[in-house]
Amino acid sequence: MILNKSIEQWQNEFPKLKNMMEYKEVLWLNDQLLPAAQILPDLSLGEQDILDAEARLKRFAPYIAHVFPETEEQAGIIESPLTELTHIQDSLKQQSSTEINGSFYLKEDNKLPISGSVKARGGIYEVLAFAEKLALEAGLITEDGDYKKFADDEFKQHFSQYTLVCGSTGNLGLSIGIMGAELGFNVIIHMSDDARKWKKDMLRSKGVTVIEHSDDYSKAVAEGRGETVGDPKSYFIDDENSITLFLGYAVAAIRLKAQLQAENINISTEQPLNVYLPCGVGGGPGGIAFGLKVVFGNAVNCYFAEPTHAPCMTLGLMTGYHDKISVQDFGMDNVTAADGLAVGRASGFVGKLLENLISGSYTVSDENLFKMLAEMDDKENIKLEPSALAGVSGPAAVKKGGVHIAWSTGGNMVPDAVYQEYYKQGKSLI
Ligand SMILES: *Cc1c(COP(=O)(O)O)cnc(C)c1O
């Protein structure tokens, strides 16, 4: 029994559940989708919160450009390219026998500077927000001051009294570890057993303490959360509940709007934007989807994309039980090569916030992730990690017209030897 219902009752109530439990690919469309203008005004977060986050990132831009020279060209703004895909359509057509209707772009967060994944949005933002708060309280800076000073020894000394803690499947740990260590914080990352060895090695080389857990992501987060309770010098970055992380991700929408305008790509309810977002616990894709609904309203349709073995957000949204149930409750194993998406229980706050705004959610098999990984390399010369391919099957899964954007959420940091293994696996499946 799960929440006092038998599996049979659950499956009767939610007919897609049976296929999900058999790890089949599913598409769930949200019948509770409502007009953005009706929903947004009553939410606890709004446009001003996103603008505040964007302004904070602008204040830090001179510092970022200073300490991470690879961001100098973009003046310290951490942003990724929007790339039109021209050849992958043929591969997808072969794989799914579905013609893609409309233009198709990749939002290449795999190329985000500093940590090479979508986590460079939320994770780095939350570390900066915490550092700013401490510096303001200590009288080290004012909001109109020169933020390059954050690189000074005086700041590092101050931050070295504090410890940042988080639980991660890998990439959040990388973002927080790299940014936190640069500012002078102590950093402790609790890694789930899905986390790749190279991610742990890289963090340790930066002086970050990595604690490995033989359990899954939810346990790693709980461990981290427990450790910080009652310690005023410890700051827990809560991937399951953090509003700050969420807003860091949401800023992406403002940036994307400017990129679409620069490319003369018009978005309207007649030519909607369809965005496909790889989803783990939900903070990253949820924050981006929230930002997109604020910016584009009903002219954008957002879909979450999950592995067939870890469809926690699809399960939570479909049933309305969000974080009250996990994929493991229904006998699913949460084992997937898409390590960034290996999450068995969704964030409750994200699902709840978006339940009337998200258009749907779908699942992809690991086999198809690997095939698309190889095709993306062969046809478009773009190298991604498995998680980042989940959005790519979106246009074929959802079958809508308009402008399609698959959010490719990671890849640049993957060591070549590890990438070659992924690629070989993909080729062997085609
Ligand atoms: C973390 C991650 C995601 C999903 O973000 P969540 O906030 O966990 O939903 C997607 N892709 C990659 C590569 C990630 O690391």
mmCIF file of all heavy atoms in Angstrom, residues 57-90:
data_model
loop_
_atom_site.group_PDB
_atom_site.id
_atom_site.type_symbol
_atom_site.label_atom_id
_atom_site.label_comp_id
_atom_site.label_asym_id
_atom_site.label_seq_id
_atom_site.Cartn_x
_atom_site.Cartn_y
_atom_site.Cartn_z
ATOM 1 N N LEU A 57 23.392 39.263 -10.160
ATOM 2 C CA LEU A 57 24.409 38.682 -11.060
ATOM 3 C C LEU A 57 25.158 39.781 -11.803
ATOM 4 O O LEU A 57 26.355 39.650 -12.068
ATOM 5 C CB LEU A 57 23.749 37.700 -12.036
ATOM 6 C CG LEU A 57 23.294 36.383 -11.392
ATOM 7 C CD1 LEU A 57 22.374 35.606 -12.319
ATOM 8 C CD2 LEU A 57 24.491 35.516 -10.998
ATOM 9 N N LYS A 58 24.468 40.875 -12.131
ATOM 10 C CA LYS A 58 25.151 42.004 -12.797
ATOM 11 C C LYS A 58 26.145 42.670 -11.845
ATOM 12 O O LYS A 58 27.234 43.068 -12.252
ATOM 13 C CB LYS A 58 24.123 43.039 -13.271
ATOM 14 C CG LYS A 58 23.518 42.690 -14.609
ATOM 15 C CD LYS A 58 22.858 43.905 -15.267
ATOM 16 C CE LYS A 58 22.167 43.480 -16.556
ATOM 17 N NZ LYS A 58 20.788 43.998 -16.648
ATOM 18 N N ARG A 59 25.759 42.799 -10.571
ATOM 19 C CA ARG A 59 26.700 43.394 -9.603
ATOM 20 C C ARG A 59 27.973 42.568 -9.514
ATOM 21 O O ARG A 59 29.065 43.091 -9.367
ATOM 22 C CB ARG A 59 26.042 43.482 -8.215
ATOM 23 C CG ARG A 59 24.967 44.532 -8.084
ATOM 24 C CD ARG A 59 24.669 44.869 -6.628
ATOM 25 N NE ARG A 59 23.990 43.831 -5.854
ATOM 26 C CZ ARG A 59 22.679 43.570 -5.893
ATOM 27 N NH1 ARG A 59 21.896 44.258 -6.700
ATOM 28 N NH2 ARG A 59 22.159 42.640 -5.128
ATOM 29 N N PHE A 60 27.801 41.246 -9.583
ATOM 30 C CA PHE A 60 28.964 40.358 -9.448
ATOM 31 C C PHE A 60 29.753 40.184 -10.748
ATOM 32 O O PHE A 60 30.844 39.611 -10.736
ATOM 33 C CB PHE A 60 28.532 38.978 -8.935
ATOM 34 C CG PHE A 60 28.503 38.877 -7.433
ATOM 35 C CD1 PHE A 60 27.300 38.948 -6.740
ATOM 36 C CD2 PHE A 60 29.684 38.719 -6.715
ATOM 37 C CE1 PHE A 60 27.281 38.868 -5.349
ATOM 38 C CE2 PHE A 60 29.665 38.625 -5.328
ATOM 39 C CZ PHE A 60 28.455 38.705 -4.645
ATOM 40 N N ALA A 61 29.189 40.652 -11.869
ATOM 41 C CA ALA A 61 29.829 40.369 -13.169
ATOM 42 C C ALA A 61 31.298 40.817 -13.229
ATOM 43 O O ALA A 61 32.149 40.050 -13.713
ATOM 44 C CB ALA A 61 29.007 40.973 -14.306
ATOM 45 N N PRO A 62 31.641 42.012 -12.738
ATOM 46 C CA PRO A 62 33.065 42.399 -12.797
ATOM 47 C C PRO A 62 33.965 41.447 -11.996
ATOM 48 O O PRO A 62 35.092 41.152 -12.407
ATOM 49 C CB PRO A 62 33.081 43.799 -12.159
ATOM 50 C CG PRO A 62 31.680 44.309 -12.302
ATOM 51 C CD PRO A 62 30.799 43.091 -12.193
ATOM 52 N N TYR A 63 33.460 40.949 -10.872
ATOM 53 C CA TYR A 63 34.216 39.976 -10.080
ATOM 54 C C TYR A 63 34.381 38.668 -10.850
ATOM 55 O O TYR A 63 35.487 38.109 -10.928
ATOM 56 C CB TYR A 63 33.512 39.737 -8.735
ATOM 57 C CG TYR A 63 33.984 38.492 -8.021
ATOM 58 C CD1 TYR A 63 35.217 38.473 -7.366
ATOM 59 C CD2 TYR A 63 33.207 37.335 -8.000
ATOM 60 C CE1 TYR A 63 35.661 37.323 -6.724
ATOM 61 C CE2 TYR A 63 33.639 36.185 -7.360
ATOM 62 C CZ TYR A 63 34.864 36.173 -6.723
ATOM 63 O OH TYR A 63 35.298 35.045 -6.100
ATOM 64 N N ILE A 64 33.273 38.179 -11.421
ATOM 65 C CA ILE A 64 33.317 36.911 -12.166
ATOM 66 C C ILE A 64 34.318 37.008 -13.323
ATOM 67 O O ILE A 64 35.139 36.112 -13.541
ATOM 68 C CB ILE A 64 31.904 36.543 -12.695
ATOM 69 C CG1 ILE A 64 30.943 36.278 -11.521
ATOM 70 C CG2 ILE A 64 31.949 35.337 -13.635
ATOM 71 C CD1 ILE A 64 31.186 35.009 -10.751
ATOM 72 N N ALA A 65 34.245 38.117 -14.060
ATOM 73 C CA ALA A 65 35.166 38.303 -15.192
ATOM 74 C C ALA A 65 36.617 38.313 -14.701
ATOM 75 O O ALA A 65 37.526 37.832 -15.384
ATOM 76 C CB ALA A 65 34.840 39.594 -15.931
ATOM 77 N N HIS A 66 36.820 38.850 -13.499
ATOM 78 C CA HIS A 66 38.153 38.961 -12.925
ATOM 79 C C HIS A 66 38.720 37.599 -12.511
ATOM 80 O O HIS A 66 39.864 37.267 -12.827
ATOM 81 C CB HIS A 66 38.078 39.916 -11.728
ATOM 82 C CG HIS A 66 39.368 40.099 -10.999
ATOM 83 N ND1 HIS A 66 40.489 40.620 -11.592
ATOM 84 C CD2 HIS A 66 39.716 39.822 -9.709
ATOM 85 C CE1 HIS A 66 41.469 40.659 -10.714
ATOM 86 N NE2 HIS A 66 41.025 40.172 -9.566
ATOM 87 N N VAL A 67 37.910 36.790 -11.826
ATOM 88 C CA VAL A 67 38.444 35.515 -11.311
ATOM 89 C C VAL A 67 38.270 34.335 -12.280
ATOM 90 O O VAL A 67 38.943 33.319 -12.146
ATOM 91 C CB VAL A 67 37.878 35.138 -9.916
ATOM 92 C CG1 VAL A 67 38.359 36.138 -8.870
ATOM 93 C CG2 VAL A 67 36.370 35.029 -9.924
ATOM 94 N N PHE A 68 37.338 34.460 -13.222
ATOM 95 C CA PHE A 68 37.177 33.409 -14.242
ATOM 96 C C PHE A 68 37.368 34.033 -15.624
ATOM 97 O O PHE A 68 36.398 34.423 -16.284
ATOM 98 C CB PHE A 68 35.794 32.751 -14.142
ATOM 99 C CG PHE A 68 35.536 32.059 -12.835
ATOM 100 C CD1 PHE A 68 34.617 32.574 -11.918
ATOM 101 C CD2 PHE A 68 36.194 30.875 -12.513
ATOM 102 C CE1 PHE A 68 34.372 31.931 -10.712
ATOM 103 C CE2 PHE A 68 35.956 30.224 -11.303
ATOM 104 C CZ PHE A 68 35.044 30.753 -10.396
ATOM 105 N N PRO A 69 38.615 34.094 -16.070
ATOM 106 C CA PRO A 69 38.924 34.808 -17.321
ATOM 107 C C PRO A 69 38.123 34.302 -18.528
ATOM 108 O O PRO A 69 37.912 35.052 -19.472
ATOM 109 C CB PRO A 69 40.418 34.545 -17.514
ATOM 110 C CG PRO A 69 40.930 34.197 -16.158
ATOM 111 C CD PRO A 69 39.814 33.547 -15.428
ATOM 112 N N GLU A 70 37.667 33.039 -18.468
ATOM 113 C CA GLU A 70 36.891 32.541 -19.616
ATOM 114 C C GLU A 70 35.559 33.286 -19.773
ATOM 115 O O GLU A 70 34.895 33.156 -20.791
ATOM 116 C CB GLU A 70 36.664 31.024 -19.513
ATOM 117 C CG GLU A 70 35.626 30.566 -18.491
ATOM 118 C CD GLU A 70 36.229 30.061 -17.171
ATOM 119 O OE1 GLU A 70 37.236 30.661 -16.703
ATOM 120 O OE2 GLU A 70 35.698 29.088 -16.607
ATOM 121 N N THR A 71 35.178 34.074 -18.759
ATOM 122 C CA THR A 71 33.923 34.834 -18.868
ATOM 123 C C THR A 71 34.172 36.295 -19.253
ATOM 124 O O THR A 71 33.229 37.081 -19.344
ATOM 125 C CB THR A 71 33.137 34.828 -17.532
ATOM 126 O OG1 THR A 71 33.904 35.572 -16.551
ATOM 127 C CG2 THR A 71 32.885 33.430 -17.015
ATOM 128 N N GLU A 72 35.419 36.638 -19.474
ATOM 129 C CA GLU A 72 35.768 38.031 -19.764
ATOM 130 C C GLU A 72 35.056 38.551 -21.013
ATOM 131 O O GLU A 72 34.545 39.668 -21.033
ATOM 132 C CB GLU A 72 37.278 38.140 -19.970
ATOM 133 C CG GLU A 72 37.960 39.115 -19.027
ATOM 134 C CD GLU A 72 39.468 39.036 -19.167
ATOM 135 O OE1 GLU A 72 39.969 39.574 -20.160
ATOM 136 O OE2 GLU A 72 40.109 38.388 -18.305
ATOM 137 N N GLU A 73 35.024 37.683 -22.028
ATOM 138 C CA GLU A 73 34.416 38.086 -23.294
ATOM 139 C C GLU A 73 32.948 38.471 -23.114
ATOM 140 O O GLU A 73 32.436 39.343 -23.815
ATOM 141 C CB GLU A 73 34.517 36.926 -24.276
ATOM 142 C CG GLU A 73 34.813 37.339 -25.696
ATOM 143 C CD GLU A 73 35.090 36.118 -26.553
ATOM 144 O OE1 GLU A 73 36.158 35.485 -26.392
ATOM 145 O OE2 GLU A 73 34.208 35.784 -27.348
ATOM 146 N N GLN A 74 32.273 37.796 -22.189
ATOM 147 C CA GLN A 74 30.862 38.109 -21.911
ATOM 148 C C GLN A 74 30.741 39.050 -20.717
ATOM 149 O O GLN A 74 29.684 39.140 -20.104
ATOM 150 C CB GLN A 74 30.077 36.828 -21.629
ATOM 151 C CG GLN A 74 30.057 35.842 -22.788
ATOM 152 C CD GLN A 74 29.164 34.644 -22.487
ATOM 153 O OE1 GLN A 74 27.940 34.734 -22.475
ATOM 154 N NE2 GLN A 74 29.771 33.501 -22.211
ATOM 155 N N ALA A 75 31.844 39.725 -20.390
ATOM 156 C CA ALA A 75 31.875 40.700 -19.291
ATOM 157 C C ALA A 75 31.378 40.114 -17.964
ATOM 158 O O ALA A 75 30.712 40.779 -17.173
ATOM 159 C CB ALA A 75 31.081 41.951 -19.656
ATOM 160 N N GLY A 76 31.698 38.845 -17.727
ATOM 161 C CA GLY A 76 31.371 38.235 -16.443
ATOM 162 C C GLY A 76 29.937 37.746 -16.317
ATOM 163 O O GLY A 76 29.509 37.335 -15.241
ATOM 164 N N ILE A 77 29.193 37.778 -17.414
ATOM 165 C CA ILE A 77 27.827 37.219 -17.408
ATOM 166 C C ILE A 77 27.933 35.756 -17.846
ATOM 167 O O ILE A 77 28.468 35.454 -18.915
ATOM 168 C CB ILE A 77 26.892 38.010 -18.358
ATOM 169 C CG1 ILE A 77 26.726 39.455 -17.860
ATOM 170 C CG2 ILE A 77 25.549 37.309 -18.499
ATOM 171 C CD1 ILE A 77 26.041 39.601 -16.507
ATOM 172 N N ILE A 78 27.453 34.863 -16.977
ATOM 173 C CA ILE A 78 27.538 33.429 -17.245
ATOM 174 C C ILE A 78 26.341 33.036 -18.109
ATOM 175 O O ILE A 78 25.231 32.917 -17.608
ATOM 176 C CB ILE A 78 27.551 32.643 -15.915
ATOM 177 C CG1 ILE A 78 28.707 33.116 -15.026
ATOM 178 C CG2 ILE A 78 27.635 31.142 -16.167
ATOM 179 C CD1 ILE A 78 28.565 32.701 -13.564
ATOM 180 N N GLU A 79 26.567 32.911 -19.408
ATOM 181 C CA GLU A 79 25.434 32.597 -20.298
ATOM 182 C C GLU A 79 25.892 31.643 -21.395
ATOM 183 O O GLU A 79 27.088 31.494 -21.646
ATOM 184 C CB GLU A 79 24.845 33.887 -20.884
ATOM 185 C CG GLU A 79 23.455 33.736 -21.478
ATOM 186 C CD GLU A 79 22.537 32.870 -20.638
ATOM 187 O OE1 GLU A 79 22.108 33.265 -19.537
ATOM 188 O OE2 GLU A 79 22.260 31.742 -21.089
ATOM 189 N N SER A 80 24.918 30.945 -21.998
ATOM 190 C CA SER A 80 25.235 29.921 -22.993
ATOM 191 C C SER A 80 24.662 30.301 -24.352
ATOM 192 O O SER A 80 23.707 31.069 -24.439
ATOM 193 C CB SER A 80 24.632 28.582 -22.545
ATOM 194 O OG SER A 80 23.221 28.640 -22.597
ATOM 195 N N PRO A 81 25.229 29.727 -25.419
ATOM 196 C CA PRO A 81 24.712 30.042 -26.756
ATOM 197 C C PRO A 81 23.391 29.334 -27.079
ATOM 198 O O PRO A 81 23.100 28.277 -26.507
ATOM 199 C CB PRO A 81 25.819 29.538 -27.694
ATOM 200 C CG PRO A 81 26.693 28.643 -26.894
ATOM 201 C CD PRO A 81 26.438 28.894 -25.446
ATOM 202 N N LEU A 82 22.645 29.945 -27.979
ATOM 203 C CA LEU A 82 21.449 29.316 -28.557
ATOM 204 C C LEU A 82 21.847 28.899 -29.969
ATOM 205 O O LEU A 82 22.200 29.733 -30.790
ATOM 206 C CB LEU A 82 20.314 30.341 -28.599
ATOM 207 C CG LEU A 82 18.978 29.854 -29.155
ATOM 208 C CD1 LEU A 82 18.352 28.813 -28.224
ATOM 209 C CD2 LEU A 82 18.017 31.021 -29.344
ATOM 210 N N THR A 83 21.821 27.594 -30.223
ATOM 211 C CA THR A 83 22.380 27.061 -31.464
ATOM 212 C C THR A 83 21.296 26.388 -32.285
ATOM 213 O O THR A 83 20.587 25.521 -31.772
ATOM 214 C CB THR A 83 23.480 26.021 -31.131
ATOM 215 O OG1 THR A 83 24.435 26.636 -30.256
ATOM 216 C CG2 THR A 83 24.181 25.526 -32.381
ATOM 217 N N GLU A 84 21.152 26.773 -33.543
ATOM 218 C CA GLU A 84 20.145 26.100 -34.374
ATOM 219 C C GLU A 84 20.655 24.726 -34.788
ATOM 220 O O GLU A 84 21.817 24.569 -35.190
ATOM 221 C CB GLU A 84 19.804 26.939 -35.614
ATOM 222 C CG GLU A 84 18.693 26.262 -36.408
ATOM 223 C CD GLU A 84 17.949 27.181 -37.359
ATOM 224 O OE1 GLU A 84 18.450 28.278 -37.662
ATOM 225 O OE2 GLU A 84 16.842 26.766 -37.795
ATOM 226 N N LEU A 85 19.793 23.743 -34.674
ATOM 227 C CA LEU A 85 20.147 22.384 -35.092
ATOM 228 C C LEU A 85 19.673 22.204 -36.526
ATOM 229 O O LEU A 85 18.554 22.588 -36.872
ATOM 230 C CB LEU A 85 19.486 21.349 -34.172
ATOM 231 C CG LEU A 85 19.887 21.462 -32.698
ATOM 232 C CD1 LEU A 85 19.025 20.540 -31.837
ATOM 233 C CD2 LEU A 85 21.362 21.134 -32.502
ATOM 234 N N THR A 86 20.513 21.612 -37.350
ATOM 235 C CA THR A 86 20.157 21.511 -38.765
ATOM 236 C C THR A 86 20.097 20.069 -39.274
ATOM 237 O O THR A 86 19.414 19.779 -40.241
ATOM 238 C CB THR A 86 21.167 22.296 -39.625
ATOM 239 O OG1 THR A 86 22.479 21.944 -39.198
ATOM 240 C CG2 THR A 86 20.977 23.802 -39.443
ATOM 241 N N HIS A 87 20.814 19.166 -38.610
ATOM 242 C CA HIS A 87 20.909 17.796 -39.129
ATOM 243 C C HIS A 87 20.296 16.721 -38.234
ATOM 244 O O HIS A 87 19.960 15.647 -38.696
ATOM 245 C CB HIS A 87 22.385 17.438 -39.373
ATOM 246 C CG HIS A 87 23.021 18.274 -40.431
ATOM 247 N ND1 HIS A 87 23.675 19.452 -40.161
ATOM 248 C CD2 HIS A 87 23.046 18.116 -41.773
ATOM 249 C CE1 HIS A 87 24.104 19.981 -41.297
ATOM 250 N NE2 HIS A 87 23.740 19.191 -42.286
ATOM 251 N N ILE A 88 20.168 17.045 -36.946
ATOM 252 C CA ILE A 88 19.694 16.016 -36.002
ATOM 253 C C ILE A 88 18.246 15.610 -36.302
ATOM 254 O O ILE A 88 17.814 14.516 -35.953
ATOM 255 C CB ILE A 88 19.855 16.509 -34.532
ATOM 256 C CG1 ILE A 88 19.723 15.358 -33.519
ATOM 257 C CG2 ILE A 88 18.817 17.573 -34.196
ATOM 258 C CD1 ILE A 88 20.981 14.626 -33.272
ATOM 259 N N GLN A 89 17.510 16.506 -36.981
ATOM 260 C CA GLN A 89 16.111 16.216 -37.321
ATOM 261 C C GLN A 89 15.988 14.876 -38.051
ATOM 262 O O GLN A 89 15.057 14.099 -37.797
ATOM 263 C CB GLN A 89 15.534 17.333 -38.208
ATOM 264 C CG GLN A 89 15.196 18.617 -37.482
ATOM 265 C CD GLN A 89 16.369 19.598 -37.395
ATOM 266 O OE1 GLN A 89 17.528 19.196 -37.485
ATOM 267 N NE2 GLN A 89 16.060 20.867 -37.193
ATOM 268 N N ASP A 90 16.929 14.613 -38.970
ATOM 269 C CA ASP A 90 16.872 13.368 -39.749
ATOM 270 C C ASP A 90 17.044 12.151 -38.847
ATOM 271 O O ASP A 90 16.343 11.149 -38.990
ATOM 272 C CB ASP A 90 17.970 13.356 -40.816
ATOM 273 C CG ASP A 90 17.721 14.438 -41.862
ATOM 274 O OD1 ASP A 90 16.554 14.866 -42.001
ATOM 275 O OD2 ASP A 90 18.703 14.852 -42.513
#
